[in-house]
Amino acid sequence: MAIVCKKNYEKVISILLSVTIVFMLFAGCTSSNSEGEIPNDESDNKLVTEELPTESAHKTEVPDGYVGIYSVDDFEYIRTTPKGNYILMSDIDFSNTKDWDGIKVEGNVDGNNYSIKNYNQNEALFYKCSGSIKDLTMSNSSGKNGSPFCNEIYNSGTFTNIKINADIIVELTTMKYEDVICHSSDYEPSVCIGGIVDVAESYSSEESYPGIDNCSFKGNITVNYKQIKERAQKEQEVSVGGIVGYSDHCNINNCIATGNITYKEQGDKAVLEEEGYDAILHLVYLGGIVADTKVSNVRNTANNMDIKASTKCTVYAGGIIGNSDVIGDGPQIAQCCNSGDIELKSRDTDVCQAGGICARADSYLPVITDCYNSGSIVAQEVAGISVNSAVISKCYNKGKLSGSKATGSLLVNKSESVEYSYYLDAGFPAIYDGGKYPTVKALSSEAMQNQESYEGFDFEDVWTMGTDNYPTLSHTLTQ
């Protein structure tokens, strides 16, 4: 048996301690190379990937000036004092709740990164919001008359970091319009359905606009429609969007929608005998992000929702925006992308348009910058970017297009300005109606995978070449 003397043992321990201290001093460094020194191997240049200690995802104590929400019953605090400050202190399960009446928010609601679970009510959790709601998830939920989360955000109201996982099924087969969400329009009332919120608009003269930031919707939105005589107005509009149904002066940033939008019509058109009208004019707007908008801005946003519609009426569908009907400045769409497929079916006598980014633009033109479409689009009139005229810059389309009446790789109608934009050459013109645009080019599949083909694109701050070798936006969103 070997015997180690105490003196040698202490010496060994001393040496080991010294080595350990030196190792601990340098173990956390990513690189100890001095300036100009070449690293010994590739790992020396890698960033630290270990998770560093961070603040808890949930605040564990109610902040000063806030009221803690621990249960469904505690929401009554918000109902009775809508201008207060509130914070969720746990996940809240609505499984045993019936006949919920939506709450109005005029103050601040901090979701504290907790979840609303099993919300399956006839009404939305919040029916109006002019305050702030942030850091809240809704999961395993459903909507019956529209969004399960909120009916309307208005004026300076904001949604930040809201994540909705839900299915929405709206049966517009027998119900009257007053039973569903509407917005004021020239043809009031109109049906609006959105994944996050049904309506976003501003009533204020002080230019305070609602904002929706860092929000996501994942789920299926299905609308079954049948015209009935009880709907007495002469023109009916139905707007269905992945994030917002209808928006007027709203800013949408860093949002993403994933899932399906399906619109189905039943029966023949209803007949109105009064006032000499023998039929109802019916319009449908579908958008991966916003269905129908006036003067709204959409930035850094992605749509992954497939859109399908079978109608006997006029229908417009866009990967980002379905319809832009404005008075004044048009919407600004920047750094957005669509990968959702769009398939529309309608009668030959009806207007049926679909665009990768936007479908219809009435009066003032939308400005579309740094956007692209990779989704397949089928309709009567089809465009990779926008069917109607738009001001387009630094955009491209690689999605498969099929228009039974008109197909434009970028646009169907002529535009006053299209520059530095590109499209996969599939035999269709850049602009169906023609025109000369010197910096617009058709590219082969090989050329589209070459960064040098994209003159005018900013590959430092806006664009990057993706894993599929096609350009993608640097801020690419994931859900």
Side-chain angles (χ1 to χ4, degrees), residues 126-138:
F126 304 104
Y127 86 91
K128 277 193 174 185
C129 176
S130 61
S132 168
I133 306 175
K134 68 176 184 178
D135 300 335
L136 183 61
T137 296
M138 177 177 278

Side-chain angles (χ1 to χ4, degrees), residues 59 61-71 73-90 92 103-114 126 131-136:
K59 298 180 182 70
E61 296 184 1
V62 177
D64 291 342
Y66 278 73
V67 175
I69 304 296
Y70 296 86
S71 66
D73 291 341
D74 289 342
F75 275 91
E76 292 303 314
Y77 293 129
I78 307 176
R79 191 186 305 279
T80 56
T81 312
K83 292 184 179 181
N85 299 319
Y86 304 93
I87 182 169
L88 270 67
M89 299 304 293
S90 66
I92 297 181
I103 290 175
K104 184 176 183 179
V105 175
E106 295 177 298
N108 300 295
V109 175
D110 183 349
N112 199 13
N113 296 305
Y114 282 111
F126 304 104
S132 168
I133 306 175
K134 68 176 184 178
D135 300 335
L136 183 61

Side-chain angles (χ1 to χ4, degrees), residues 374-429:
S374 59
S376 298
I377 304 174
V378 179
Q380 292 178 15
E381 296 179 76
V382 164
I385 303 299
S386 177
V387 176
N388 287 172
S389 295
V391 176
I392 296 176
S393 176
K394 294 165 286 186
C395 295
Y396 81 87
N397 172 67
K398 69 170 183 175
K400 184 178 179 181
L401 308 177
S402 178
S404 60
K405 292 184 178 181
T407 302
S409 296
L410 299 177
L411 286 158
V412 169
N413 301 140
K414 288 183 179 180
S415 173
E416 63 184 45
S417 178
V418 182
E419 61 180 9
Y420 299 110
S421 294
Y422 308 90
Y423 59 96
L424 181 63
D425 191 355
F428 302 115

Side-chain angles (χ1 to χ4, degrees), residues 306-415:
D306 292 339
I307 299 174
K308 289 186 178 182
S310 178
T311 75
K312 296 179 180 180
C313 67
T314 295
V315 56
Y316 303 96
I320 304 299
I321 292 176
N323 177 60
S324 169
D325 185 4
V326 304
I327 300 174
D329 296 333
Q332 308 285 319
I333 308 171
Q335 298 183 37
C336 295
C337 58
N338 173 62
S339 64
D341 296 336
I342 302 175
E343 182 180 353
L344 306 182
K345 295 180 181 179
S346 190
R347 302 175 305 181
D348 287 341
T349 54
D350 294 314
V351 177
C352 179
Q353 298 181 348
I357 302 299
C358 182
R360 178 175 181 259
D362 187 25
S363 301
Y364 290 82
L365 306 182
V367 177
I368 304 173
T369 308
D370 292 309
C371 296
Y372 73 91
N373 170 64
S374 59
S376 298
I377 304 174
V378 179
Q380 292 178 15
E381 296 179 76
V382 164
I385 303 299
S386 177
V387 176
N388 287 172
S389 295
V391 176
I392 296 176
S393 176
K394 294 165 286 186
C395 295
Y396 81 87
N397 172 67
K398 69 170 183 175
K400 184 178 179 181
L401 308 177
S402 178
S404 60
K405 292 184 178 181
T407 302
S409 296
L410 299 177
L411 286 158
V412 169
N413 301 140
K414 288 183 179 180
S415 173

Side-chain angles (χ1 to χ4, degrees), residues 20 36 71 92 134 140 183-184 195 207 223 255 275 307 342 351:
T20 301
S71 66
I92 297 181
K134 68 176 184 178
N140 195 31
H183 75 86
S184 298
E207 296 187 356
V223 178
C255 293
E275 299 183 22
I307 299 174
I342 302 175
V351 177

